[in-house]
Amino acid sequence: MLETEMSETVMSETGPLLRVRDLHAEIGDPRAPVHALRGVSFDILRGEAVGFVGESGSGKSVTARAVMRLAPEGAKVRLRGSVDFAGRDLLQLDESEMLDIRGRRIAMVFQDPMTSLNPVMTVGAQIDDIIRRHMNLSAREARARSVELLGLVGIQDPARRADDYPHQFSGGMRQRVLIAIAISCDPDLLIADEPTTALDVTVQAQILRLLLRLRDERGMSLMLITHDFGVVAGMVETVNVMYRGRIVETGRVDAVFAAPAHDYTRRLLAATPRLHRSGQAA
Amino acid sequence: MSDAARENVDIVAPAAKRRQFFLNGGHILLGLGGVMLAIVILTALFAPLIAPYDASATSPESLAPPSAAHWLGTDSIGRDVLSRMIVGGRTTLLITFSAVFLALVAGLILGLLSGYLGGLVDEIIMRALDIVFAFPVFLLALTVVAAIGPTIPNLILTIAIVYTPAMARVVRAPVLSVKQWDHVEAARSVGMSETRIVLRHVLPMVASPILVNTSLTLAQTIFTITALSFLGLGPPPPDPNWGGMVSESRQFMELAPMTVVGPAAAIVFATLTFIVLANGLRETLDVGN
């Protein structure tokens, strides 16, 4: 049933939103590079939520950053392959064109909400900044939108809270602020890189529900990166299992859960504490 | 200590605890430094109004002892020492502030470029600055001023150059770590340009050590400029300046000690102002944590 729904969405568009083909990433010294990605290919349809699961170092985060053409600070990353986003190969764009894509068409929610906000700017100012960077709005209009966004992600009394600094928010609230920043310019694709790892369990569920709700309301595609199979289970339609820089298994999430084809997926599933059974989120 | 009292102490966060007592050491120093700075700046600004005599007017009473008419006496050609001391601060402070401002701007630009871009740019900038850094500050200033002549613009430029490398290093070091912080990557991920990231998300994080270092550099510069003047490489006569006054008067020191003590005290006061200010800033801004 899911597939028919998906194909209807696709029919109205011209194909997948994101089509990554044979993506290679090499990090560090060209003479002795680390092959972080070894030929990764996947599609993300419009409005689809896709999970990327794998252990640390399997290439999930590098894949996410490659889509945005970001490298970890200080690292030299060489990318090869193609990243077609809405008909354009992002790897062929120059940096100034990428600046207009980041935050506007593709946005990212980071792992650690405690450190991902600028500590000396009010959260409102941080959202205003991005809105004004990408949209032609006055300061007043941008602030109105910021307040609306803060309310949308579940911050109480957003008009007043917009003038607070990050240290006045709890971890879960900061993650909500980061999500508000990420969706501030209505991106087509939201990448969430381990969005709940740094949060405690009750807050994790809230944040995941929030992401799902926003995906449904706004028709965004969602790329959810996690090492936690439990997280993907209730969240996504398609799951890609990554291992050592490759996607070793891909498929609908319940199918992969029910009958993992790859040995690594079986071991990964076996390594997960069995709290959730069949596609039941926390 | 009772259990209740200890509980009270334990549940207060360090930052909140500090705020409870407004007047801790840092705040006292900062307040004192502020008052001293206000005195120094106001005196320099309104010098002609405050000074009881024309600073360059001579009179027949040379080397007069302190009196009601001349509080600090007169110098060897009968000029009022107090008036010269008040007016002399203008030249000294003008050079000091301009030079440190230039050093700050140059240090910020070079330090940010070097720290943020890293790699080859960092190597080139830092090695070039190392060359300047390798010379003792005073010796370098002395040589350059002696070579190009002691005019006010030359003095400003020279002192700015000798203090730039230290400033650039103070800027660069924290930038190296701040640029790896998550919020910088987050800013990059929403399409902020690199210039904007540096100005909005890196520079504010490194402001505290820069502020402290600027204040310390001001103190050092006052000392350097007066020392140069003492050696005859200061701003040219007839305008008075502190270092020059000490130098002119030292041969009459035993006859009229106030002619040396006056300007020397002014130098000490101004230097102390910036040291007190730097320490106050350091404690209130928590630099070094």
Side-chain angles (χ1 to χ4, degrees):
Chain A
M1 332 110 270
L2 247 175
E3 272 160 352
T4 46
E5 273 172 38
M6 286 332 299
S7 54
E8 273 164 22
T9 328
V10 180
M11 297 263 276
S12 60
E13 308 290 343
T14 53
L17 177 68
L18 183 71
R19 178 187 291 264
V20 173
R21 285 295 173 266
D22 197 29
L23 184 64
H24 293 257
E26 290 179 359
I27 302 179
D29 192 339
R31 282 162 298 181
V34 175
H35 295 273
L37 299 181
R38 303 156 182 264
V40 168
S41 303
F42 63 92
D43 290 344
I44 296 181
L45 307 177
R46 286 175 198 272
E48 186 187 26
V50 178
F52 284 77
V53 193
E55 61 192 27
S56 309
S58 59
K60 308 170 306 235
S61 288
V62 177
T63 306
R65 279 165 180 73
V67 170
M68 297 191 87
R69 284 223 339 237
L70 290 172
E73 178 57 46
K76 289 266 180 295
V77 179
R78 286 169 303 280
L79 297 172
R80 206 149 38 79
S82 71
V83 177
D84 280 320
F85 176 77
R88 285 201 287 177
D89 186 355
L90 298 185
L91 298 189
Q92 306 301 324
L93 298 185
D94 56 36
E95 185 59 24
S96 67
E97 290 173 301
M98 273 316 291
L99 288 183
D100 289 330
I101 299 230
R102 290 187 202 124
R104 180 75 187 84
R105 308 290 308 274
I106 308 178
M108 191 152 170
V109 175
F110 288 87
Q111 178 171 354
D112 190 351
M114 305 313 274
T115 56
S116 298
L117 288 164
N118 184 334
V120 299
M121 282 170 77
T122 64
V123 299
Q126 299 190 47
I127 310 178
D128 294 351
D129 249 22
I130 290 134
I131 294 173
R132 300 198 66 193
R133 160 75 183 82
H134 290 295
M135 296 176 150
N136 192 18
L137 293 180
S138 71
R140 189 184 295 263
E141 290 165 332
R143 176 47 63 99
R145 190 179 165 90
S146 301
V147 170
E148 190 194 322
L149 285 161
L150 285 174
L152 192 69
V153 296
I155 305 277
Q156 300 294 318
D157 194 4
R160 193 176 55 80
R161 294 293 267 161
D163 290 321
D164 283 346
Y165 288 88
H167 72 266
Q168 292 164 293
F169 290 81
S170 68
M173 287 294 147
R174 288 192 213 186
Q175 192 61 291
R176 287 171 191 271
V177 171
L178 282 174
I179 292 172
I181 288 177
I183 63 167
S184 62
C185 300
D186 289 323
D188 303 301
L189 173 63
L190 182 64
I191 302 175
D193 186 4
E194 305 254 7
T196 58
T197 307
L199 304 173
D200 63 52
V201 179
T202 45
V203 182
Q204 286 185 5
Q206 294 169 11
I207 294 294
L208 291 174
R209 270 200 294 272
L210 173 65
L211 284 172
L212 263 193
R213 197 191 85 212
L214 292 170
R215 196 267 309 226
D216 293 339
E217 286 173 5
R218 318 202 134 212
M220 297 181 298
S221 303
L222 185 62
M223 179 171 174
L224 179 71
I225 291 159
T226 178
H227 59 260
D228 184 352
F229 245 120
V231 167
V232 285
M235 288 277 296
V236 302
E237 286 93 41
T238 309
V239 62
N240 293 302
V241 180
M242 292 197 73
Y243 181 59
R244 301 188 67 178
R246 288 193 180 88
I247 293 179
V248 292
E249 179 160 3
T250 182
R252 277 193 34 211
V253 69
D254 14 354
V256 172
F257 260 80
H262 196 275
D263 183 46
Y264 177 71
T265 315
R266 271 195 291 276
R267 282 188 287 141
L268 196 64
L269 275 169
T272 313
R274 301 190 52 97
L275 273 175
H276 325 292
R277 288 210 174 253
S278 50
Q280 219 43 41
Chain B
M1 196 207 297
S2 78
D3 278 354
R6 186 157 74 222
E7 214 171 295
N8 274 337
V9 173
D10 283 350
I11 57 172
V12 178
K17 204 159 51 185
R18 226 181 296 123
R19 234 172 277 131
Q20 286 177 332
F21 309 101
F22 175 69
L23 283 181
N24 66 14
H27 286 111
I28 293 173
L29 282 176
L30 198 59
L32 183 65
V35 171
M36 290 167 78
L37 183 66
I39 294 174
V40 169
I41 289 178
L42 289 176
T43 311
L45 277 181
F46 299 109
L49 301 176
I50 300 168
Y53 296 90
D54 179 349
S56 305
T58 58
S59 75
E61 315 169 59
S62 64
L63 298 176
S67 65
H70 301 282
W71 291 5
L72 294 180
T74 58
D75 69 3
S76 59
I77 50 174
R79 295 174 296 194
D80 181 52
V81 172
L82 181 63
S83 302
R84 287 181 70 72
M85 199 178 114
I86 292 169
V87 176
R90 294 187 122 187
T91 325
T92 310
L93 291 172
L94 171 79
I95 296 173
T96 304
F97 280 117
S98 318
V100 174
F101 179 74
L102 284 182
L104 176 64
V105 171
L108 273 178
I109 295 172
L110 294 172
L112 284 173
L113 280 176
S114 191
Y116 191 72
L117 296 178
L120 193 61
V121 178
D122 185 28
E123 279 301 311
I124 292 171
I125 292 177
M126 290 322 287
R127 293 301 79 78
L129 291 178
D130 279 349
I131 296 172
V132 181
F133 210 61
F135 294 96
V137 164
F138 190 70
L139 194 66
L140 183 60
L142 192 71
T143 317
V144 175
V145 174
I148 63 180
T151 65
I152 291 180
N154 283 353
L155 282 164
I156 292 175
L157 203 63
T158 306
I159 292 184
I161 291 170
V162 297
Y163 284 112
T164 295
M167 195 66 89
R169 286 189 175 194
V170 169
V171 176
R172 173 181 174 268
V175 168
L176 285 178
S177 84
V178 169
K179 71 172 176 178
Q180 298 184 19
W181 289 5
D182 291 344
H183 78 269
V184 172
E185 192 190 9
R188 203 170 282 132
S189 81
V190 292
M192 292 290 169
S193 69
E194 296 297 310
T195 322
R196 207 170 157 75
I197 290 174
V198 170
L199 295 180
R200 293 275 271 187
H201 300 283
V202 176
L203 187 56
M205 306 291 122
V206 304
S208 311
I210 297 172
L211 213 54
V212 172
N213 189 60
T214 304
S215 194
L216 280 178
T217 309
L218 283 166
Q220 291 167 6
T221 305
I222 292 209
F223 199 76
T224 309
I225 183 75
T226 48
L228 282 174
S229 309
F230 182 79
L231 295 175
L233 291 169
D239 287 341
N241 70 77
W242 294 339
M245 287 171 72
V246 176
S247 170
E248 287 161 18
S249 309
R250 70 184 195 280
Q251 53 200 114
F252 313 109
M253 212 164 81
E254 283 158 30
L255 288 169
M258 289 319 280
T259 55
V260 172
V261 173
I267 296 168
V268 171
F269 187 82
T271 310
L272 209 56
T273 297
F274 294 116
I275 291 176
V276 169
L277 210 55
N279 281 311
L281 285 170
R282 174 154 45 207
E283 292 205 6
T284 43
L285 296 175
D286 256 356
V287 175
N289 268 14

